[in-house]
């Protein structure tokens, strides 16, 4: 029996194959196999590509900027170890750019081309950042209008965006309906917030006291989910708090900072999870075979052995040193 060429496969089968992949990188790889495949497979219509979000003020433009974390590896090497990368694609026709996994800054472009067919990719997670531009801001010397601020704590669920604003309050915006053009503040916010996360299909927010709040999507109200975490740290001047999923549990990361000789820097971390049997926070003493990635807009764990140079029971972060 004669084996058909890749170019002879029916378009319906090619399209069915492409639909089984979720990331833009996989679609690009499929389209690069041959010309018939390229014409048969459309570029992925991703509604999260860099786009405007509705605003109640016509003079304010709200721009959603998504990025994706991947584990990239070389299948032919015989090793299962790979590298953590972050990508951004401004439009469906633009090139895929590499960003720093921690800061979202664009990496220096290389003169070499990365052959996607020689590497394997597995998508880890998506993260979002919202840029808010005010058209009335005073133009700089170069004639550009700068952003008024950024929202780096953003989640998306059921056509709703939730974000922690600069005022440390939780805001919500509905996407895709012309009638819904207003950012709405979530009701009954009795404290300020530092982070927000999507966990098991629900949205949770982290208060500055260390308490976790559940967001009731039908009423857009906050419901207290846990008591505050311990805060008595000797020799610590401030504490940044983040939410993270660890072994299926919703945990809180405390990034402890101290000021020495007018320089504030990170001096340690504490991770807490809720012991549901006694309704009490307990400290996670070890991450086991995991490593914790603390990025500016995302916090998650990976299996350390799957990455080159990654140590188990470790925390990776960028320290924003502050001088006073």
């Amino acid at each position: 029996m004669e084996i058909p060429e890749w170019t002879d496969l029916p378009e319906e089968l090619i399209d069915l194959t492409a639909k089984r992949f979720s990331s833009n990188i996989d679609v690009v790889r499929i389209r690069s196999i041959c010309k018939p495949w390229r014409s048969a497979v459309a570029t992925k219509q991703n509604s999260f590509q860099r786009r405007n979000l509705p605003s109640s003020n016509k003079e304010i433009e709200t721009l959603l900027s998504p990025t994706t974390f991947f584990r990239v590896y070389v299948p032919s090497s015989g090793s299962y170890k790979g590298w953590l990368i972050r990508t951004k694609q401004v439009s469906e026709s633009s090139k895929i750019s590499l960003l720093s996994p921690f800061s979202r800054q664009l990496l220096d472009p290389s003169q070499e081309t990365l052959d996607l067919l020689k590497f394997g990719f597995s998508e880890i997670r998506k993260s979002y950042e919202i840029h808010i531009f005010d058209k009335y801001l005073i133009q700089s010397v170069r004639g550009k209008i700068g952003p008024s601020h950024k929202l780096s704590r953003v989640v998306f669920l059921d056509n709703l965006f939730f974000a922690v604003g600069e005022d440390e309050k939780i805001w919500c915006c509905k996407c895709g309906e012309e009638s819904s053009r207003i950012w709405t503040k979530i009701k009954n916010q009795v404290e300020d917030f530092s982070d927000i996360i999507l966990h098991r299909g629900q949205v949770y927010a982290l208060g500055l006291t260390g308490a976790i709040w559940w967001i009731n999507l039908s009423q857009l109200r906050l419901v207290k989910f846990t008591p505050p975490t311990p805060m008595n740290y000797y020799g610590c001047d401030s504490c940044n708090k983040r939410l993270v999923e660890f072994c299926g549990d919703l945990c809180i990361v405390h990034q402890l900072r101290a000021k020495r000789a007018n320089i504030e820097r990170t001096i340690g971390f504490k991770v807490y999870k809720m012991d549901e049997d006694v309704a009490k926070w307990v400290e996670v003493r070890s991450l086991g075979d995991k490593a914790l990635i603390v990025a500016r807009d995302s916090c998650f764990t990976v299996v350390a052995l799957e990455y080159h140079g990654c140590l188990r029971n470790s925390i990776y972060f960028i320290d924003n040193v502050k001088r006073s």
Side-chain angles (χ1 to χ4, degrees):
M1 181 179 66
E2 184 179 355
I3 300 177
E5 297 288 338
W6 289 106
T7 55
D8 297 331
L9 291 178
E11 289 190 5
E12 296 80 6
L13 183 58
I14 299 174
D15 186 61
L16 183 62
T17 302
K19 287 180 178 179
R20 297 181 65 87
F21 296 91
S22 59
S23 72
N24 282 346
I25 285 186
D26 287 326
V27 175
V28 170
R29 296 169 68 193
I30 292 174
R31 284 168 53 86
S32 64
I33 291 177
C34 58
K35 288 184 178 180
W37 281 50
R38 182 176 182 84
S39 60
V41 179
T43 54
K44 190 173 181 62
Q45 299 294 321
N46 191 340
S47 60
F48 295 139
Q49 292 293 348
R50 192 175 174 90
R51 57 169 295 175
N52 292 327
L53 290 178
S55 172
S56 58
N57 189 336
K58 294 182 179 180
E59 303 303 328
I60 293 181
E61 179 183 2
T62 308
L63 192 66
L64 176 69
S65 177
T67 63
T68 308
F69 290 91
F70 288 95
R71 185 176 75 91
V72 56
Y73 57 95
V74 183
S76 59
S77 67
S79 172
Y80 59 86
K81 287 184 178 291
W83 299 269
L84 178 67
I85 66 170
R86 176 186 271 196
T87 66
K88 179 179 71 173
Q89 192 174 15
V90 176
S91 66
E92 293 165 357
S93 60
S94 65
K95 293 182 178 179
I96 298 174
S97 302
L98 288 177
L99 309 178
S100 164
F102 296 95
S103 66
R104 290 180 65 109
Q105 292 182 344
L106 187 65
L107 298 180
D108 293 334
S110 171
Q111 299 299 321
E112 299 181 2
T113 301
L114 183 64
D115 188 349
L116 297 181
L117 294 178
K118 295 181 179 179
F119 292 87
F121 292 83
S122 59
E123 182 176 321
I124 301 175
R125 65 187 294 119
K126 282 186 172 65
S127 68
Y128 307 97
E129 189 171 70
I130 292 177
H131 303 254
I132 300 179
F133 296 83
D134 190 337
K135 296 181 181 179
Y136 280 126
L137 287 180
I138 299 176
Q139 295 188 5
S140 65
V141 177
R142 297 182 180 179
K144 297 181 179 179
I145 300 178
S148 56
H149 58 274
K150 299 178 183 178
L151 307 179
S152 298
R153 307 283 190 266
V154 183
V155 298
F156 179 79
L157 177 66
D158 294 341
N159 218 29
L160 292 171
F161 285 97
F162 297 90
V164 179
E166 281 195 331
D167 58 355
E168 297 180 329
K169 298 299 183 182
I170 308 297
W171 293 81
C172 173
C173 173
K174 184 173 291 187
C175 177
E177 294 185 9
E178 290 297 326
S179 60
S180 302
R181 306 188 60 83
I182 299 176
W183 281 92
T184 304
K185 185 182 292 187
I186 299 298
K187 301 174 185 177
N188 70 307
Q189 300 192 46
V190 298
E191 66 169 311
D192 294 335
F193 294 87
S194 63
D195 203 3
I196 193 167
I197 194 173
L198 180 63
H199 173 66
R200 295 181 179 178
Q202 302 292 329
V203 180
Y204 297 91
L206 178 61
L208 294 186
T209 62
I212 296 178
W213 296 74
W214 170 65
I215 298 181
N216 184 316
L217 298 182
S218 61
Q219 301 178 6
L220 293 182
R221 296 178 60 89
L222 287 168
V223 179
K224 197 167 187 179
F225 187 67
T226 71
T229 49
M231 296 294 293
N232 51 338
Y233 297 125
Y234 176 76
C236 174
D237 296 308
S238 64
C239 176
N240 298 335
K241 305 175 189 66
R242 302 290 297 275
L243 289 168
V244 66
E245 284 184 331
F246 174 64
C247 295
D249 295 319
L250 186 57
C251 299
I252 297 179
V253 179
H254 285 193
Q255 183 175 359
L256 310 180
R257 299 176 63 84
K259 184 180 294 185
R260 303 288 187 271
N262 296 325
I263 299 177
E264 183 179 292
R265 65 177 72 242
T266 299
I267 60 173
F269 286 87
K270 296 281 188 180
V271 180
Y272 293 94
K273 73 173 183 178
M274 174 60 63
D275 187 332
E276 297 180 356
D277 293 333
V278 295
K280 181 180 179 181
W281 288 105
V282 294
E283 184 177 350
V284 178
R285 296 290 182 177
S286 173
L287 299 177
D289 62 347
K290 303 290 195 305
L292 175 61
I293 308 298
V294 182
R296 186 180 72 183
D297 57 353
S298 193
C299 192
F300 57 95
T301 59
V302 297
V303 178
L305 291 178
E306 294 181 351
Y307 296 86
H308 290 286
C310 187
L311 302 178
R312 63 187 302 274
N313 193 32
S314 300
I315 299 177
Y316 293 87
F317 67 102
I318 290 181
D319 197 9
N320 296 319
V321 177
K322 297 180 180 180
R323 300 178 182 272
S324 59

